[in-house]
Amino acid sequence: MDDFEKNFQGKIDAEIKIEPKDWMPEKYRQTLIRQISQHAHSEIVGMLPEGNWITRAPSLKRKAILLAKVQDEAGHGLYLYAAAETLGTTREEMIDQLHSGQAKYSSIFNYPTLTWADIGAIGWLVDGAAIMNQVMLTRTSYGPYARAMVRICKEESFHQRQGFDILLTLSQGPDAQKNMCRDAINRWWWPSLMMFGPKDSDSTHSDQSMKWKIKRMGNDELRQKFVDMIAEQVKVLGMNLPDPDLKWNEEKNHYDFGEINWQEFWNVVKGNGPCNKQRLDARKKAWEQGAWVREAALAHANKVKLQTHKGTLEAA
Amino acid sequence: MLAVHQSRINYVLHLADNALIIGHRNSEWCGHGPVLEQDIAITNIALDLIGQARNFYQYAAELIGNNTTEDTLAYLRDEREFKNCLLAEQPNSDWAITILRQFFFSTYQYFFYQKLQYSNDVQLSAIAEKALKEVTYHLRWSSEWAIRLGDGTEDSHQRMIKAIDNLWMFTGELFLAVNYEKIGVNEGYGVDISLIKNDWMKKVTDAFEEATLALPPDDVWMQRGGKEGIHSEYLGHILAEMQYLQRAYPGAQW
């Protein structure tokens, strides 16, 4: 370890945030770019499954809330792209990597939203799982990332509540709505658990990330916290989670839960989820069809600049 | 008396439907915009418009009574009962058409709400005052984009010409009063829309000039009918999608 690196690790150990102009190991920089851009892409791709229900939301109030929520996610994407840019990449580069398949996004968004209850389940379970991770990241060692997370967490807790509220309403409705609610919980539960990633024993990035305090908790610990929270909240809905092994363990003071289908997990990561192709195609289409708009905006801005310049010269 | 009351209801529903339908169209962009910042902007405008629609529907529901709510009005009326202008329901197609549709509509709303603020109906006046702040931003945003696209590249310029060709025929209806609007003017709660036509035209002419776009000739045929429930074929599809859950599960709470 050279002096630069010692100094760097010293700051991390002393809980001093690393800022964009500070020296940092190249691998720290690359890990953060990978992680923050993946996080940003998840926000943007995550707009699609929920966007699928904006035009079909069942009341004006729900429509307005859903629109605001999906718009928040676009905003989160913006903060995160901006945070990643402080590390020396550009939004265009990151978007290219998403489109080429080189960069990943959260696999959860490769599942379809089939009924209105799925919008509730996404808010409650998917945003709920995301918050676990994001609250931890408000204390991450890289300053711009930590600060982006503080803003994001404030909005996410509202998202989770609105999701739960959708399901609560359905759970108190007639059988058709109760079934819709149950079906959504059944379909989203296991994929939500998968959001925490592989077990720590199988995770390739975990050790170094913990040492650099990019991550501050392991995947297993976060997943357990989530299970403990949801296992209680589901009682309020009068519903069950689709796991016969789920039960309270007095000794451990935690819930035990069943084994995740890791074959499905890796399969979706590899691109074989029900909507991987659809989601990526939608993003590419939006980007390609928007190319002329971005070009026109640039051309106009250049013309204005030229005129202003000319005007300044003439005035002089 | 009854007919007068019904006119007021129709008038309010017309304003609500206008805002809801164009807001719904804009919301179709969410997640698919040409660049992230503009995805956020168009969604924001959609949100404002749906918010305006809700204010008008809630007021209409109050006037109608009988357990009517904003949602029964938005979700349980059929095509022929909707009173929005044809312009509002035209499809998004590309960004040029969406922008021009919004620019035409925001310009109209901008001058319309300025006058509606002085309505003798305190509810309408209050809604107009609040909405005007939002619409001022919509107008700035959409006019800047119209100029940017008109003046930008050869491709964007051609797309704007096509957008004008698609949408101009729906602008005449904005300023032609139907019966319930005429009654509204007589009763002092409605806006005389013939009086805002010149303001609208001036704003559009100025923006087109900056955008290097030509105004269509005076003799373009203007379509009409939306305000009286005679719509284009597009509206039925919007409603089929929008109303599906309320129709499929009658009486359910969401």
Side-chain angles (χ1 to χ4, degrees):
Chain A
M1 210 186 269
D2 61 24
D3 283 350
F4 281 119
E5 203 160 344
K6 261 188 210 145
N7 183 29
F8 171 81
Q9 188 65 47
K11 276 194 207 164
I12 300 251
D13 294 340
E15 299 290 340
I16 297 168
K17 294 275 180 257
I18 305 301
E19 295 299 335
K21 289 194 172 130
D22 295 347
W23 185 90
M24 62 186 83
E26 192 48 30
K27 196 149 171 285
Y28 177 83
R29 183 187 300 277
Q30 292 309 328
T31 302
L32 276 169
I33 290 178
R34 181 181 56 76
Q35 187 176 325
I36 300 173
S37 70
Q38 180 172 325
H39 197 158
H41 298 328
S42 300
E43 298 283 355
I44 302 308
V45 177
M47 295 169 75
L48 298 171
E50 291 181 285
N52 184 37
W53 280 89
I54 287 173
T55 56
R56 291 179 291 169
S59 72
L60 293 175
K61 185 178 150 205
R62 293 287 185 206
K63 194 199 246 338
I65 292 172
L66 182 58
L67 257 179
K69 174 179 193 279
V70 180
Q71 190 196 28
D72 281 349
E73 275 147 21
H76 298 173
L78 266 187
Y79 311 154
L80 287 163
Y81 283 128
E85 283 183 321
T86 63
L87 291 156
T89 180
T90 65
R91 204 200 298 182
E92 281 69 25
E93 277 173 347
M94 290 183 268
I95 289 173
D96 280 347
Q97 287 166 354
L98 170 70
H99 293 172
S100 71
Q102 198 189 329
K104 299 282 182 219
Y105 56 88
S106 178
S107 275
I108 193 77
F109 302 118
N110 292 317
Y111 291 87
T113 48
L114 302 179
T115 72
W116 171 250
D118 290 26
I119 300 306
I122 288 187
W124 178 44
L125 297 174
V126 175
D127 291 334
I131 290 170
M132 293 286 157
N133 201 30
Q134 287 165 346
V135 166
M136 168 189 78
L137 289 170
T138 59
R139 296 186 298 123
T140 193
S141 57
Y142 188 57
Y145 192 24
R147 291 189 287 272
M149 279 302 138
V150 172
R151 293 176 70 176
I152 289 174
C153 279
K154 281 185 195 151
E155 291 174 349
E156 287 293 348
S157 58
F158 152 75
H159 293 173
Q160 203 207 3
R161 276 202 302 278
Q162 69 84 35
F164 188 79
D165 186 63
I166 288 174
L167 293 183
L168 188 62
T169 306
L170 294 176
S171 73
Q172 292 165 349
D175 284 351
Q177 284 183 312
K178 281 196 179 78
N179 290 338
M180 205 184 269
C181 177
R182 186 173 300 117
D183 169 61
I185 295 172
N186 287 346
R187 280 183 291 110
W188 289 93
W189 171 246
W190 289 105
S192 303
L193 286 190
M194 294 176 197
M195 285 174 70
F196 296 94
K199 288 185 180 174
D200 293 329
S201 51
D202 299 326
S203 177
T204 42
H205 303 295
S206 273
D207 280 354
Q208 185 64 65
S209 285
M210 294 282 257
K211 194 172 153 231
W212 280 334
K213 295 188 182 170
I214 294 174
K215 286 182 68 159
R216 312 190 65 127
M217 288 165 88
N219 295 352
D220 296 331
E221 188 185 356
L222 286 166
R223 186 164 20 235
Q224 182 68 58
K225 264 184 86 163
F226 177 69
V227 171
D228 290 346
M229 176 179 85
I230 298 296
E232 287 301 315
Q233 291 177 353
V234 75
K235 293 177 189 169
V236 181
L237 297 175
M239 298 271 155
N240 293 307
L241 297 171
D243 178 359
D245 297 324
L246 184 83
K247 58 175 179 296
W248 178 250
N249 184 325
E250 197 74 53
E251 213 169 298
K252 287 197 265 177
N253 212 24
H254 285 299
Y255 276 90
D256 289 332
F257 57 98
E259 189 64 29
I260 287 168
N261 180 345
W262 294 109
Q263 201 186 346
E264 177 183 328
F265 172 82
W266 289 114
N267 198 36
V268 181
V269 170
K270 278 181 199 134
N272 298 323
C275 301
N276 289 62
K277 183 171 182 332
Q278 185 189 339
R279 300 290 185 239
L280 210 50
D281 285 352
R283 284 314 313 158
K284 283 195 245 182
K285 186 177 162 205
W287 188 249
E288 281 158 16
Q289 292 190 346
W292 71 269
V293 178
R294 298 189 299 274
E295 282 158 19
L298 192 66
H300 173 72
N302 286 336
K303 285 183 201 176
V304 171
K305 220 183 285 170
L306 208 64
Q307 271 165 4
T308 321
H309 184 60
K310 222 176 109 195
T312 319
L313 287 182
E314 277 164 9
Chain B
M1 192 61 211
L2 210 65
V4 172
H5 186 63
Q6 188 56 48
S7 285
R8 191 183 296 251
I9 291 168
N10 287 344
Y11 190 74
V12 179
L13 285 174
H14 155 64
L15 299 179
D17 293 343
N18 260 351
L20 177 63
I21 297 301
I22 194 167
H24 182 94
R25 276 298 192 213
N26 287 336
S27 80
E28 293 170 3
W29 274 105
C30 184
H32 306 276
V35 65
L36 202 45
E37 287 82 348
Q38 304 314 323
D39 199 307
I40 293 173
I42 193 90
T43 303
N44 204 37
I45 292 173
L47 260 171
D48 285 345
L49 288 164
I50 289 167
Q52 291 170 20
R54 292 185 66 190
N55 288 330
F56 286 124
Y57 282 131
Q58 285 163 12
Y59 179 42
E62 210 181 294
L63 293 173
I64 297 166
N66 293 328
N67 300 322
T68 306
T69 67
E70 55 171 354
D71 288 328
T72 61
L73 292 171
Y75 291 89
L76 299 176
R77 282 181 307 141
D78 289 328
E79 288 92 316
R80 294 279 283 105
E81 295 169 273
F82 268 73
K83 294 169 181 57
N84 59 282
C85 296
L86 296 170
L87 179 67
E89 69 203 40
Q90 297 309 306
N92 290 345
S93 308
D94 68 0
W95 189 248
I97 288 183
T98 298
I99 288 295
L100 191 68
R101 185 184 65 202
Q102 194 58 46
F103 173 55
F104 285 163
F105 191 75
S106 293
T107 308
Y108 157 77
Q109 275 196 321
Y110 179 73
F111 293 114
F112 181 86
Y113 283 143
Q114 282 191 8
K115 295 236 185 298
L116 191 66
Q117 286 184 105
Y118 303 103
S119 168
N120 65 12
D121 182 317
V122 290
Q123 289 276 12
L124 290 180
S125 151
I127 297 171
E129 195 187 333
K130 178 170 180 285
L132 186 58
K133 293 187 190 111
E134 298 164 352
V135 169
T136 304
Y137 162 74
H138 304 170
L139 176 57
R140 199 182 77 204
W141 180 86
S142 60
S143 63
E144 282 172 3
W145 268 104
I147 291 163
R148 214 170 268 145
L149 296 180
D151 177 62
T153 61
E154 185 50 35
D155 183 18
S156 69
H157 185 77
Q158 289 303 325
R159 284 172 190 263
M160 284 301 279
I161 290 174
K162 196 173 154 228
I164 296 167
D165 189 45
N166 278 3
L167 297 178
W168 190 257
M169 68 178 112
F170 302 113
T171 58
E173 189 187 22
L174 299 172
F175 311 104
L176 285 173
V178 298
N179 207 31
Y180 56 78
E181 291 174 289
K182 289 175 191 161
I183 293 171
V185 174
N186 289 337
E187 297 286 319
Y189 61 80
V191 172
D192 184 347
I193 44 179
S194 66
L195 297 181
I196 60 175
K197 188 176 178 177
N198 284 341
D199 291 333
W200 185 90
M201 191 57 93
K202 180 163 189 326
K203 179 80 195 164
V204 169
T205 307
D206 290 350
F208 274 25
E209 199 180 302
E210 217 182 323
T212 69
L213 293 165
L215 278 176
D218 289 338
D219 60 353
V220 171
W221 177 257
M222 289 294 177
Q223 302 294 338
R224 59 189 301 190
K227 292 182 194 181
E228 290 171 302
I230 309 289
H231 291 276
S232 60
E233 290 178 350
Y234 299 117
L235 184 69
H237 292 274
I238 294 177
L239 298 186
E241 192 174 340
M242 186 175 83
Q243 297 179 338
Y244 131 76
L245 278 172
Q246 288 273 357
R247 301 285 193 178
Y249 300 89
Q253 296 298 308
W254 299 95

